[in-house]
Amino acid sequence: MKDLDDIALRSIKFEPYWWDAARPEPHPAVALAPQYDVAVVGSGFTGMRAALELARAGRSIVVLDKEAAGSGAARRNAGYLGRVLKHSLAALMKKHGEAQGLAFYRELGEAFTDVIALIERERIDCRLSRHGRFIAATSVKHYDALAADLEPMRRHLGYPYEMVPKPEQRREFGSDLYHGGAVIPDLAAIHSGLYHRGLMERAKEAGAVISDMTEVRAVTPERDAVRIVTDRGTLTAKDAIIATNGYTPRGLNWFARRVIPFQAHMAATEELTAAQLQDAIPNRRTMIDSNTNIDFFRPAPDSARLLFGGGTGIPRGEPAAIARFLHGLLRRVLPQLAAVKLSHAWTGYCAGTFDMMPHIGGREHVWYGLGYNFAGIPIGTHFGAKLAAMIQGKPEGRSAFAETPFPTLPLYSGDPWFVPMAMRYFDWKDRKRA
Ligand SMILES: Cc1cc2nc3c(=O)[nH]c(=O)nc-3n(C[C@H](O)[C@H](O)[C@H](O)COP(=O)(O)OP(=O)(O)OC[C@H]3O[C@@H](n4cnc5c(N)ncnc54)[C@H](O)[C@@H]3O)c2cc1C
């Protein structure tokens, strides 16, 4: 037990690693105007991208957040930039027809390239790297299923991949736990804290007002406007955007009934030696496993650490218990690092949906982009731009994800009591495919 006590109690920080470089700091309080063109609720990627585009289009914008701007998942995530959903292309083509399935995946591809173009255009220094991703198969059946999932993406969309058989696995990831895997060579990764901060700075330079430490209590459509009640006063806006994803409050009833918040856990190791890092992640790729409820490992973009996570959706209790759980994951997957300590451990909230798809749309001047199912860097950023275009009535606002109904279930009010059970079911299903 001694090593575990060291991890939990000695020098670990229970906050996101990204905050060392980009801590969310509350803005000085602003006097809220009685009226804005657009009020954005939530200051993550979705909210900030929408604010940036709308402010540049000359609209008056206020971004409201109950915490310091960026304290939600935006500065807590793993920084993986990909172009997949929880449903494969083949599954979506089967369910929605070939054209619609392809439309979803083409838009994901656009979202991925859009983030990279935005980072370059806006000169956001967020350590963008394009070393690709390794998906580690958790069984022989998963290995075959991976190939079956990736091949239609290559055939229809030209997305490259390479299968890596088990005997060669160590050239991609320093673990013998898996059964080979697949490399997607062109996927990317970022420093999430620096990316969000850069996006926020650009939105502010464009004229968006940030009012953080301001809790929104009600958003009510009223004829041609929207009334927004906050703990710092009431304002009206011609349009409002709900960009609260996994932090959507119960008070936003229609939205809370459609998103399923679930907690994700992450940790950073202390600095590793160059040899340890090279052995663990030889090509500096991001790594995920092939399960529905993934374990994931990546090199930090700005230090010699590994950042990793897993056990999503199952509450682990105290921060020290989360750290112990994550250290157990490190020892299981990369036993050669068993003596390595953790420097940071943290959690954040993602949003699932009942159809495991992201959703975008609007009703009565209240617009939303929600339910990113663990892919909010590309999709949130992209939806922010789409929402800005929708509000301006531009054709670029069209989205394949606006065309499917946003489902809920009877009696669901936003309390995700069933998430741990659902996660255990997914784990059982994955084990069944072993
Ligand atoms: C641990 C973890 C790892 C992840 N890894 C990845 C990854 O590698 N790649 C990826 O693409 N995605 C990842 N995700 C998901 C991704 O981070 C999110 O989907 C994305 O950040 C959502 O962005 P957002 O702007 O919509 O919402 P958020 O960034 O979550 O922002 C929502 C904001 O709404 C605010 N809010 C809530 N209620 C109110 C209220 N009443 N009034 C005012 N403000 C309110 C919150 O304070 C919060 O700041 C991860 C998430 C977590 C938690």
Side-chain angles (χ1 to χ4, degrees):
M1 257 334 254
K2 187 175 172 308
D3 58 338
L4 295 186
D5 288 344
D6 282 347
I7 295 152
L9 304 174
R10 226 174 252 174
S11 55
I12 191 166
K13 290 189 204 171
F14 294 119
E15 62 176 34
Y17 169 71
W18 310 120
W19 292 13
D20 283 6
R23 178 178 298 279
E25 302 283 5
H27 287 68
V30 287
L32 287 171
Q35 196 169 356
Y36 292 88
D37 288 331
V38 183
V40 179
V41 185
S43 67
F45 304 132
T46 314
M48 284 303 173
R49 180 71 190 283
L52 169 64
E53 300 301 332
L54 286 162
R56 287 214 176 130
R59 305 290 171 103
S60 61
I61 308 297
V62 65
V63 179
L64 305 158
D65 200 295
K66 72 177 166 46
E67 306 290 341
S71 315
R75 295 197 198 183
R76 293 172 181 273
N77 61 69
Y80 287 39
L81 186 51
R83 54 174 174 237
V84 282
L85 293 171
K86 286 287 176 196
H87 298 295
S88 68
L89 171 63
L92 289 180
M93 289 199 303
K94 193 168 165 205
K95 183 167 177 203
H96 297 273
E98 181 168 322
Q100 184 65 19
L102 282 170
F104 288 131
Y105 262 78
R106 280 211 181 91
E107 194 168 330
L108 281 175
E110 275 167 36
F112 170 76
T113 47
D114 177 37
V115 174
I116 293 173
L118 178 77
I119 288 169
E120 287 168 355
R121 192 169 62 244
E122 301 294 336
R123 297 178 197 283
I124 298 175
D125 181 7
C126 60
R127 312 287 177 128
L128 171 69
S129 67
R130 299 202 63 179
H131 294 290
R133 182 177 298 181
F134 177 61
I135 308 174
T138 53
S139 71
V140 175
K141 280 190 190 156
H142 275 226
Y143 181 86
D144 295 340
L146 249 182
D149 278 354
L150 292 170
E151 181 49 28
M153 295 214 274
R154 190 196 57 73
R155 200 168 56 245
H156 291 284
L157 300 162
Y159 295 163
Y161 75 98
E162 180 205 347
M163 295 307 291
V164 180
K166 182 166 172 86
E168 293 171 36
Q169 178 178 294
R170 280 265 179 165
R171 78 170 144 93
E172 292 299 341
F173 191 61
S175 175
D176 296 320
L177 202 62
Y178 301 101
H179 297 261
V183 167
I184 321 286
D186 61 334
L187 294 188
I190 55 168
H191 184 304
S192 308
L194 296 178
Y195 173 56
H196 179 268
R197 188 169 72 187
L199 197 53
M200 181 175 85
E201 290 308 323
R202 296 299 175 274
K204 281 158 56 173
E205 286 156 20
V209 172
I210 312 288
S211 179
D212 52 11
M213 313 313 285
T214 305
E215 182 177 355
V216 172
R217 300 211 165 131
V219 175
T220 316
E222 281 183 348
R223 260 177 270 138
D224 280 341
V226 185
R227 189 162 167 268
I228 293 145
V229 180
T230 82
D231 59 352
R232 296 188 48 232
T234 298
L235 54 101
T236 58
K238 290 180 193 150
D239 293 277
I241 294 177
I242 307 300
T244 47
N245 206 46
Y247 294 80
T248 301
R250 298 272 192 94
L252 296 181
N253 182 34
W254 192 88
F255 304 98
R257 292 198 59 228
R258 282 161 176 79
V259 295
I260 309 164
F262 55 99
Q263 203 179 32
H265 315 289
M266 281 195 70
T269 65
E270 62 184 344
E271 298 246 359
L272 305 181
T273 64
Q276 283 175 318
L277 257 186
Q278 174 66 22
D279 173 60
I281 304 216
N283 298 312
R284 296 193 64 77
R285 302 194 201 281
T286 53
M287 172 273 185
I288 61 173
D289 71 25
S290 59
N291 287 341
T292 303
N293 191 5
I294 56 168
D295 295 332
F296 51 97
F297 291 78
R298 65 164 287 188
D302 56 347
S303 70
R305 295 167 203 274
L306 280 182
L307 309 180
F308 67 100
T312 301
I314 301 186
R316 307 274 164 193
E318 296 283 298
I322 291 167
R324 284 193 189 94
F325 165 78
L326 289 169
H327 199 264
L329 173 64
L330 179 69
R331 292 195 307 272
R332 184 167 59 80
V333 175
L334 295 167
Q336 65 273 39
L337 300 182
V340 163
K341 294 191 175 61
L342 302 187
S343 62
H344 300 70
W346 70 97
T347 62
Y349 282 92
C350 309
T353 48
F354 287 105
D355 58 1
M356 288 205 214
M357 294 286 281
H359 290 272
I360 183 171
R363 38 204 296 274
E364 299 178 279
H365 294 273
V366 181
W367 305 83
Y368 59 87
L370 295 166
Y372 302 140
N373 290 278
F374 227 65
I377 300 174
I379 305 176
T381 307
H382 175 72
F383 276 10
K386 289 272 174 201
L387 289 165
M390 283 179 184
I391 286 173
Q392 295 174 80
K394 291 184 174 173
E396 300 92 292
R398 271 198 297 269
S399 167
F401 295 96
E403 286 162 25
T404 48
F406 196 169
T408 181
L409 284 184
L411 302 182
Y412 179 62
S413 61
D415 174 8
W417 58 269
F418 49 84
V419 165
M421 276 191 303
M423 289 306 186
R424 289 197 171 97
Y425 167 73
F426 289 133
D427 290 347
W428 171 78
K429 254 178 77 175
D430 278 323
R431 277 197 303 274
K432 234 175 69 163
R433 280 210 299 174

